[in-house]
Every structure is written in structure tokens, then in C-alpha cells.
């Protein structure tokens, strides 16, 4: 556990931590959706004490207590229910596959979740090997595809001799991300390359992405902090950059130190302070706006019961009074929002529930959602929360 008073940066290791900002209390598991409303209303919540590193810009929660996080079967984070996300993931997989040997390549994914991304590589005589402690065994069987419900441990599993090692959206959950960095290196030994992807902490801080703050995410990487961690793990950074509308960071890493080419963009030392004030301003302006809408008796729907939606509902004092929360993911339907307790409904249900204002949690999906509301015959205002 990282205790108050921690001075070392978990990404670059420097002793250069400065205070940033504290959040309102948020559910410690924002992606666990209880079947019972009563359980949702008493879901444990905790504030985050965010601090930043002066050397690499890494932002992290100094009061993080991994002991509070008990993942179970109600944990659901898949984004693969959005057609736009699926198309993006398919294009990324095709790009990554371009440099693989024509046949017989080995692809390993550490922290593969349900294996939806790894599946995109199956075929062409490839061996696809996934590791995830929370794997639920539901992946359709496919020749050459295997997922183990455990972590990859170099000492136990040995080198995987993978041509490509993938690790997406895992590092940000770890209080100490270095051992995973070392495991990625071991999995790629002796000839492979590594593809890393994490939420873009720079986007969160720079572009007002405050609704992306969730307790499960211990660390918020900048290009510089991701590159620093990779180098500490003995990996060369060939490229680090933004993707998915700037919301994700991706890095291409190599085993050979001579291939190091990118330390990430230089730091903007004023960013943490600007982020702290924009967080306070956004919370207060949305609190006022929501109070106006609720007092005027408007029926509001929040579209997106993912991280952003759950944080938005819980961070605002009157978030529990928002009547409708909608999500495309059928696994979430009929379940309840942790903290505020709304029952999650399907898009189709809006045809009868008739919201007057739909708040879209991810600006990338506004057009897709407006078209869907139109096809359902729902006439209402649609607005992106940003
Ligand atoms: Zn640092």
C-alpha cells in the first residue's frame, strides 16, 4: 500500500513528489455493478489524494489502498459493445499484426481481460497466449488461442519467446508497476517487441478529463512517465504517443537499448496546478447546472455507466437525483450504479422513459448516440459532458 508521506514516484523512481488535488469520495470499485440497489447505495467510497512527480509528470493517488479493491464477477469494463470502439480496436490489431512473421507468430497479452483484443490476432497459424487473473473462461475456443486465469510470472512460466507482447490498461491499476514492466520484458525475450497502452493522464489533466478519475486507477501516466517506467524495466522506447482521440497513450517498446528514441514530450510544470483548479471549477459548475435542471423538473439521462458516468454521478452532490442511466453493455443492464443506486437501462428503454436531456459521458460517442436516439424516436437535447 502507498501511504501518505510517500515520496518516491512509482513511474520514474524520483524523490520529487508534490501535492496536487483531492477528489470527492468516489466508489472504490466504479466498475462493479451490484444486482441489488441496496448494495449499490452502500458501496464503499473513498477520496483520492492526488500528487504529481516534478520529474516525469506522473500523477498518482497517495492514499491508494489496494486492500479496498475486491474484484468479483460483477466487475465489468468492456468497451467492446460500442461499434466505434470495436472498429478502432480492429484497426489497431491489424496495424500491430503488420510486422509479425507471416505464419507461426506468438502473441502474448498480459492482463487480457475477456480476451476480446487477443482474439483479433487468432488464425494464420499463430499462437495467442493470454494471462488474466479475472478471466472468466467465456472466450469461444479457437485453434492456437489459450487464456490462463493467472498472472504471468517469469520465474514460473519462463520466457514466452513472443514476437509481440501486449499490455493494455493494466499498469494504471498497480501501486508498483515496475514488476509488470519487468514481466513484459521477460515475455518478449529474446526477440519480441512490446505494445503498451494506458489511459492518457495528460489528457485527464490538460483537457479537463476529470470524469476519468477513478479509484481503481492508482496512477495516471504521461508520455514521459510511461517512457521512464519502460526504461527502468530495461525496455527501449521506440515511440510513445496519444491515440483514441487523445484519451489513451500507446508506446512501442523494444528489447535492444540501442533502439531507444523517445523520452516523451517535455514536461509542462504548470499543468498540475491548472488541473487542480479546473477540477474544482468543473465540479462547481456542473453542480450548479445540475441543480438548475433538477429544480426545473427536467428528466435527465446519463448515457454511459462506465468510469466517467459513475464518477460524474458520484462526484456531484445531487448526482443521485438523476433519474436515468443508460448503457449499451447488456452485462450492466438491470444492475445498479455503485454509490448513487440508479438501475441501468438499455437504450431501447429510453423510447418509453422519454428523457428531456441526455448527457453523453464520452464526447467521442455523441454522433453515434444522437443517431441511436433518433432511430428510437426519442426527441431530446443531447449534450457532451466535458
Ligand atoms: Zn516520476
Amino acid at each position: 500500500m502507498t501511504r501518505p508521506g510517500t515520496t518516491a514516484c512509482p513511474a520514474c523512481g524520483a524523490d520529487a513528489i508534490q501535492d496536487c488535488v483531492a477528489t470527492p469520495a468516489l466508489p472504490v470499485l466504479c466498475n462493479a455493478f451490484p444486482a441489488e440497489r441496496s448494495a449499490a447505495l452502500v458501496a464503499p467510497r473513498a477520496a483520492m489524494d492526488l500528487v504529481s512527480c516534478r520529474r516525469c509528470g506522473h500523477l498518482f493517488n497517495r492514499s491508494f489502498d489496494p486492500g479496498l479493491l475486491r474484484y468479483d464477477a460483477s466487475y465489468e469494463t468492456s468497451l467492446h459493445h460500442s461499434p466505434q470502439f470495436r472498429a478502432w480496436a480492429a484497426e489497431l490489431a491489424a496495424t500491430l499484426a503488420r510486422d509479425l512473421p507471416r505464419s507461426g507468430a506468438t502473441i502474448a497479452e498480459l492482463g487480457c481481460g475477456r480476451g476480446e483484443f487477443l482474439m483479433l490476432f487468432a488464425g494464420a497459424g499463430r499462437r495467442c497466449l493470454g494471462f488474466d487473473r479475472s478471466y472468466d473462461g467465456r472466450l469461444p475456443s479457437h485453434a492456437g488461442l489459450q487464456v490462463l486465469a493467472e498472472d504471468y510470472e517469469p520465474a514460473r512460466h519462463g520466457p514466452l519467446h513472443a514476437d509481440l507482447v501486449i499490455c493494455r490498461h493494466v499498469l494504471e491499476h498497480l501501486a508498483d508497476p515496475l514488476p509488470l514492466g519487468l514481466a513484459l520484458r521477460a515475455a518478449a525475450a529474446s526477440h519480441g517487441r512490446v505494445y503498451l497502452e494506458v489511459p492518457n493522464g495528460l489528457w485527464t489533466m490538460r483537457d479537463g478529463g476529470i470524469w476519468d478519475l477513478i479509484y481503481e486507477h492508482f496512477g495516471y501516466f504521461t508520455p514521459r512517465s510511461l517512457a521512464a517506467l519502460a526504461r527502468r524495466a530495461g525496455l527501449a522506447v521506440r515511440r510513445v504517443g496519444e491515440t483514441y482521440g487523445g484519451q489513451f497513450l500507446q508506446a512501442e517498446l523494444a528489447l535492444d537499448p540501442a533502439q531507444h528514441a523517445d523520452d516523451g514530450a517535455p514536461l509542462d510544470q504548470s499543468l498540475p496546478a491548472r488541473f487542480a483548479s479546473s477540477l474544482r471549477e468543473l465540479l462547481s459548475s456542473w453542480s450548479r447546472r445540475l441543480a438548475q435542471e433538477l429544480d426545473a423538473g427536467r428528466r435527465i439521462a446519463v448515457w454511459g455507466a462506465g468510469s466517467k458516468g459513475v464518477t460524474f454521478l458520484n462526484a456531484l452532490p445531487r448526482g443521485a437525483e438523476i433519474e436515468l442511466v443508460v448503457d449499451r453493455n447488456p452485462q450492466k443492464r438491470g444492475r445498479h450504479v455503485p454509490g448513487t443506486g440508479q438501475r441501468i437501462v438499455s437504450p431501447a428503454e429510453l423510447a418509453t422513459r422519454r428523457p428531456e436531456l441526455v448527457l453523453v459521458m464520452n464526447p467521442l460517442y455523441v454522433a453515434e448516440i444522437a443517431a441511436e436516439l433518433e432511430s428510437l424516436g426519442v426527441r431530446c437535447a443531447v449534450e457532451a459532458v466535458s
Side-chain angles (χ1 to χ4, degrees), residues 9 11-14 53 55-58 225:
C9 170
C12 75
C53 172
R55 192 207 271 175
C56 73
H58 195 61
S225 71

Side-chain angles (χ1 to χ4, degrees), residues 20-28 45-51 59-64 210 212-220 279 311:
C20 183
V21 69
T23 71
L26 300 172
V28 298
R45 307 198 321 159
M48 296 162 74
D49 174 19
L50 295 169
V51 295
L59 183 77
F60 68 98
N61 175 14
R62 181 165 48 188
S63 58
F64 185 67
I210 69 159
D212 279 338
L213 295 170
I214 58 170
Y215 194 88
E216 288 109 307
H217 290 174
F218 162 74
Y220 297 81
L279 182 139
T311 294

